[in-house]
Amino acid sequence: MQLQFGKGGGLLPVIIQDAGTSEVLMLGFMNPEAFEETQRTGEVVFFSRTRNRLWKKGEQSGHVLKLREMRVDCDSDALLLRVDAIGPGVCHEGYRSCFFRRIAPDGVATIVEARRFDPVRVYARETMP
Amino acid sequence: MQLQFGKGGGLLPVIIQDAGTSEVLMLGFMNPEAFEETQRTGEVVFFSRTRNRLWKKGEQSGHVLKLREMRVDCDSDALLLRVDAIGPGVCHEGYRSCFFRRIAPDGVATIVEARRFDPVRVYARETMP
């Protein structure tokens, strides 16, 4: 099983899906080290393109993602991780899913989910990637 | 609503999810033109990194993706499209979803879905991106 990191400049896109509800929660990226750490620990580790370093999801908020099942696509250049998401939500803006805005055909974005927690209290020390 | 194409070298990752079952079917990429075409026509158009051109999903197979709902993430750098997937499957290898292989913690990949169609008959003329 050889993952194709090269097509994305060393990073694979990784879809995070709730193992219980099948809701898509977020999309992150992994380099080979993030992939290895995720496999080794059973908790999701990304590579942050903003911070340019490994980023364990929940390292600050406690909202870790426990890996239930990992899937790979036909071209071995994308991953789908089914997880148990610990805590009220994965998004640093306080929502269950990062995909809390709908885009209409005219391009207007509207928030269509309810906020689950106060991000200022959870992410007090620094901005998330 | 300003999408952030810059972080990914001009391309956004796009998650395709079955609007009925919530199964994740595939991941593709869009440049601004692919995004506009998708919005304009209501059928999903990607940018193929392999062919380096716009790629209407289903242009060869007939397995088009009809857009039901578009979501954007908190950082405006990833899209989630809930679709009606026409035909028996979206994957050029003959499966319903491109994520038909599970990766075990030891790295071994195993096919865990049933093949839905014969890809040789559907994709007779050329290899898909």
Side-chain angles (χ1 to χ4, degrees):
Chain A
M1 169 74 255
Q2 192 68 42
L3 295 174
Q4 301 300 316
F5 287 96
K7 273 166 100 174
L11 299 177
L12 284 190
V14 179
I15 303 162
I16 303 295
Q17 184 179 35
D18 188 302
T21 66
S22 291
E23 184 181 10
V24 173
L25 299 175
M26 64 180 292
L27 183 138
F29 290 87
M30 286 184 184
N31 65 357
E33 291 71 31
F35 176 79
E36 294 295 336
E37 273 297 285
T38 299
Q39 286 283 65
R40 190 180 65 78
T41 65
E43 297 189 343
V44 177
V45 175
F46 296 112
F47 182 85
S48 166
R49 298 185 299 175
T50 309
R51 298 177 178 189
N52 201 38
R53 67 163 174 84
L54 289 191
W55 160 44
K56 175 166 176 180
K57 175 66 183 147
E59 64 188 10
Q60 187 182 5
S61 62
H63 301 166
V64 300
L65 303 175
K66 291 186 178 291
L67 181 61
R68 287 273 297 273
E69 183 184 41
M70 185 181 284
R71 298 283 189 105
V72 61
D73 78 346
C74 46
D75 295 327
S76 302
D77 59 8
L79 294 172
L80 170 63
L81 273 53
R82 293 179 60 88
V83 306
D84 290 330
I86 306 304
V90 308
C91 182
H92 74 288
E93 295 200 15
Y95 296 88
R96 175 76 181 154
S97 163
C98 292
F99 295 96
F100 58 86
R101 289 179 297 164
R102 179 184 292 152
I103 307 182
D106 63 4
V108 174
T110 309
I111 294 175
V112 291
E113 302 287 345
R115 205 164 227 162
R116 303 296 185 89
F117 63 94
D118 179 357
V120 175
R121 295 182 66 169
V122 171
Y123 297 103
R125 273 173 282 174
E126 60 177 317
T127 312
M128 289 302 282
Chain B
M1 169 72 254
Q2 192 67 43
L3 294 175
Q4 301 301 315
F5 287 95
K7 274 166 99 175
L11 299 178
L12 285 190
V14 180
I15 303 163
I16 303 296
Q17 184 179 34
D18 188 302
T21 66
S22 291
E23 185 181 9
V24 174
L25 299 176
M26 63 179 291
L27 183 137
F29 290 87
M30 286 185 183
N31 65 357
E33 291 71 31
F35 175 78
E36 294 296 337
E37 273 297 285
T38 299
Q39 287 283 65
R40 189 180 66 78
T41 65
E43 296 189 342
V44 177
V45 176
F46 296 111
F47 182 84
S48 166
R49 299 185 298 176
T50 309
R51 298 177 178 188
N52 201 39
R53 67 164 174 84
L54 289 191
W55 161 43
K56 174 166 178 180
K57 175 65 183 148
E59 64 187 11
Q60 189 183 4
S61 63
H63 301 166
V64 301
L65 304 175
K66 292 187 176 293
L67 182 61
R68 286 272 299 273
E69 183 184 42
M70 186 182 283
R71 298 284 190 104
V72 61
D73 78 345
C74 45
D75 296 326
S76 301
D77 60 8
L79 295 172
L80 169 64
L81 273 54
R82 293 178 60 88
V83 305
D84 289 330
I86 306 304
V90 308
C91 183
H92 74 288
E93 294 201 15
Y95 296 89
R96 175 75 181 155
S97 162
C98 292
F99 294 97
F100 59 84
R101 290 179 296 165
R102 179 183 293 153
I103 307 182
D106 64 3
V108 174
T110 309
I111 294 175
V112 292
E113 303 286 345
R115 206 164 226 162
R116 302 295 185 89
F117 63 95
D118 179 357
V120 174
R121 295 182 64 169
V122 171
Y123 298 102
R125 273 174 282 172
E126 60 178 317
T127 311
M128 290 301 283

